[in-house]
């Protein structure tokens, strides 16, 4: 597309488009969405300068990524890498630290009939708490949202659970491999 064609689509001058391309000026904020649409991009792709291509053609739980907003605590689970924004910031995907003997807050798992009872010896104050516990199986993730001043515990049906994740609002994401 030429500068003149883009200018016509956005109802600006071709000189304005030329200045954007050479970095001598930037489009008005009100033109970001129309500019992205005209270029066949999302606004996030336009602003980040990176094209996002869906290479995850088949769903695989191993590619799942967890994103947590540090401002509001919103939890987003994606079937692969994604560009996730919340409270005005782009969230990075979290890398889980192994929950083992040397872990600050290890996960305890008890098998009770057809369930796993999981608990974490962790303070649950308004400032420092476990935000969620999630169980990952071959085809699903079940997330239990926890709240400050509650108990850091959950129950999950044992069906093919492979990993249990938990998130501390101060120390990050942990994982315990079950099988």
């Amino acid at each position: 597309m030429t500068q003149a064609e883009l200018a016509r689509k956005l109802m600006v001058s071709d000189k304005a488009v030329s200045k954007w391309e050479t970095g001598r000026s930037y489009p008005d904020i009100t033109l970001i969405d129309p500019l992205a649409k005209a270029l066949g991009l999302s606004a996030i792709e336009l602003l980040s300068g990176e094209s996002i291509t869906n290479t995850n053609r088949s769903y695989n739980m191993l590619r799942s990524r967890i994103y947590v907003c540090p401002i509001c605590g919103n939890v987003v689970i994606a079937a692969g890498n994604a560009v996730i924004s919340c409270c005005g910031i782009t969230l990075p995907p979290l890398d889980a630290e192994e929950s083992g003997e040397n872990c600050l807050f290890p996960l305890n798992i008890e098998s009770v009939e057809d369930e796993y009872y999981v608990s974490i010896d962790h303070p649950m104050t308004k400032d420092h708490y476990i935000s969620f516990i999630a169980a990952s199986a071959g085809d699903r993730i079940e997330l239990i949202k926890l709240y400050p001043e509650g108990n850091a515990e959950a129950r999950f049906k044992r069906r093919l659970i492979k990993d249990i994740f938990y998130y501390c609002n101060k120390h990050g994401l942990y994982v315990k491999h079950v099988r």
Side-chain angles (χ1 to χ4, degrees):
M1 171 181 338
T2 66
Q3 290 177 352
E5 290 169 335
L6 181 59
R8 274 193 298 280
K9 285 184 178 188
L10 298 174
M11 294 184 277
V12 298
S13 71
D14 55 343
K15 289 181 182 182
V17 174
S18 175
K19 287 180 181 179
W20 301 341
E21 280 190 355
T22 59
R24 291 182 286 149
S25 74
Y26 298 100
D28 184 86
I29 192 74
T30 60
L31 291 174
I32 297 299
D33 281 334
L35 178 58
K37 188 175 182 179
L39 297 173
L41 301 169
S42 69
I44 291 175
E45 287 174 304
L46 178 65
L47 294 173
S48 71
E50 294 181 27
S51 177
I52 301 167
T53 305
N54 183 5
T55 56
N56 184 10
R57 299 286 180 211
S58 63
Y59 185 72
N60 182 337
M61 291 303 293
L62 297 174
R63 294 185 183 133
S64 295
R65 303 298 296 193
I66 299 174
Y67 302 81
V68 178
C69 179
I71 297 170
C72 70
N74 192 13
V75 179
V76 178
I77 298 174
N81 285 327
V83 177
I84 306 289
S85 242
C86 190
C87 295
I89 59 172
T90 301
L91 306 178
L94 299 177
D95 290 321
E97 183 178 321
E98 294 285 333
S99 173
E101 293 177 18
N102 297 330
C103 180
L104 191 57
F105 304 107
L107 180 75
N108 305 305
I109 302 175
E110 294 177 43
S111 188
V112 180
E113 296 178 3
D114 66 337
E115 293 182 323
Y116 286 127
Y117 169 73
V118 298
S119 61
I120 305 149
D121 186 20
H122 187 285
M124 292 293 284
T125 66
K126 288 183 180 182
D127 296 330
H128 190 198
Y129 57 92
I130 298 295
S131 174
F132 68 84
I133 303 173
S136 170
D139 63 347
R140 70 191 71 199
I141 293 178
E142 182 179 356
L143 184 133
I144 307 294
K145 181 73 173 137
L146 304 177
Y147 296 95
E149 300 177 352
N151 294 322
E153 59 188 19
R155 290 183 179 274
F156 298 100
K157 292 287 184 188
R158 286 182 18 187
R159 60 179 180 262
L160 303 175
I161 289 178
K162 295 180 180 172
D163 298 310
I164 297 180
F165 294 89
Y166 57 103
Y167 180 78
C168 169
N169 72 321
K170 298 281 186 194
H171 298 98
L173 185 66
Y174 294 89
V175 64
K176 172 93 173 191
H177 304 293
V178 179
R179 294 181 192 210

